[in-house]
């Protein structure tokens, strides 16, 4: 996998607004964080260094988006980072209470053939509401690793760190009718 071949890999956190990306970013990067504006915009992007095992990683915390088809400056910046920068893997952070809302981005990542994994964050809140997600079935459906976290409690982070190196392009195929 490309991620293991480079001296410093780039990992982007992607997801809807308010799903916990920045909390995960802060945990994975500690204090070594830099914030910069994306060229040509006023959108701030956080970047930080991390290491997992012997691997050095630049983490990128992208703006929260509802789609990778840009309808706003935030969505355009996130899409441009994913398509124009040398991103090795994407961690799609999902609010486990709102899986349906997040699946549009999941499908777009799959269609773009980008290597990613799914992080079902806020699992505790989902469970409190009676929401149960079969992570194995979700992983089987999309052909990518799926982990669960409770970012504010730092639960599931060891599994997330391990799975970052297992991210892959989705095996899910999308078919469009001839009309499209």
């Amino acid at each position: 996998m490309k991620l293991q071949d480079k001296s410093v890999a780039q990992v982007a956190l992607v997801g809807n607004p308010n799903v916990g990306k920045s909390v995960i970013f802060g945990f994975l990067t500690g204090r070594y964080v830099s914030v910069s504006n994306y060229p040509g915009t006023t959108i701030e992007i956080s970047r930080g260094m991390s290491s997992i095992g012997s691997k050095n990683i630049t983490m990128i915390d992208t703006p929260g988006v509802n789609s990778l088809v840009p309808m706003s400056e935030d969505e355009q910046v996130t899409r441009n980072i994913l398509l124009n920068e040398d991103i090795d893997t994407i961690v799609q952070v999902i609010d486990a209470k709102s899986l349906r809302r997040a699946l549009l981005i999941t499908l777009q990542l799959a269609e773009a053939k980008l290597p990613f994994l799914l992080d079902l964050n806020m699992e505790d809140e989902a469970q409190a509401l009676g929401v149960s997600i079969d992570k194995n079935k979700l992983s089987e459906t999309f052909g990518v690793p799926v982990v669960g976290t409770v970012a504010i409690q730092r639960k599931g982070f060891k599994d997330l760190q391990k799975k970052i190196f297992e991210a892959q392009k989705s095996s899910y195929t999308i078919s469009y009718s001839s009309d499209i």
Side-chain angles (χ1 to χ4, degrees):
M1 175 196 245
K2 189 166 117 177
L3 182 62
Q4 297 174 349
D5 297 338
K6 291 172 48 175
S7 61
V8 178
Q10 290 205 88
V11 176
L13 298 172
V14 173
N16 298 110
N18 304 311
V19 295
K21 291 185 318 296
S22 295
V23 175
I24 292 169
F25 176 83
F27 174 78
L28 292 174
T29 60
R31 289 176 269 164
Y32 192 65
V33 176
S34 65
V35 176
S36 62
N37 286 346
Y38 195 77
T41 74
T42 59
I43 305 295
E44 289 188 348
I45 306 300
S46 297
R47 296 176 191 264
M49 296 301 296
S50 181
S51 44
I52 300 174
S54 62
K55 309 276 187 284
N56 292 319
I57 299 173
T58 298
M59 299 291 300
I60 304 170
D61 186 10
T62 66
V65 298
N66 291 307
S67 172
L68 298 179
V69 176
M71 301 296 281
S72 69
E73 190 175 25
D74 290 355
E75 290 173 342
Q76 184 173 358
V77 166
T78 297
R79 192 246 0 235
N80 288 348
I81 288 170
L82 298 181
L83 297 180
N84 299 329
E85 293 197 25
D86 189 18
I87 302 297
D88 296 289
T89 194
I90 298 158
V91 177
Q92 183 188 356
V93 182
I94 296 171
D95 177 347
K97 302 181 309 289
S98 303
L99 178 62
R100 182 179 299 190
R101 177 178 155 207
L103 288 177
L104 173 60
I105 295 171
T106 307
L107 289 171
Q108 291 170 333
L109 291 170
E111 187 172 33
K113 301 289 185 206
L114 296 169
F116 69 101
L117 67 99
L118 301 176
D119 175 10
L120 300 174
N121 192 29
M122 301 185 220
E123 278 192 315
D124 58 332
E125 294 177 22
Q127 288 172 354
L129 293 172
V131 175
S132 176
I133 299 171
D134 185 339
K135 288 184 273 217
N136 290 329
K137 182 69 173 170
L138 190 60
S139 177
E140 180 183 304
T141 299
F142 286 101
V144 299
V146 177
V147 299
T149 57
V150 180
I152 60 171
Q153 297 174 13
R154 297 184 176 202
K155 288 185 178 176
F157 279 25
K158 286 187 191 324
D159 194 29
L160 173 60
Q161 288 175 315
K162 175 184 166 203
K163 297 287 184 177
I164 283 175
F165 299 110
E166 297 175 17
Q168 56 194 27
K169 295 175 184 176
S170 176
S171 60
Y172 192 82
T173 56
I174 300 165
S175 302
Y176 296 101
S177 72
S178 60
D179 295 336
I180 294 178

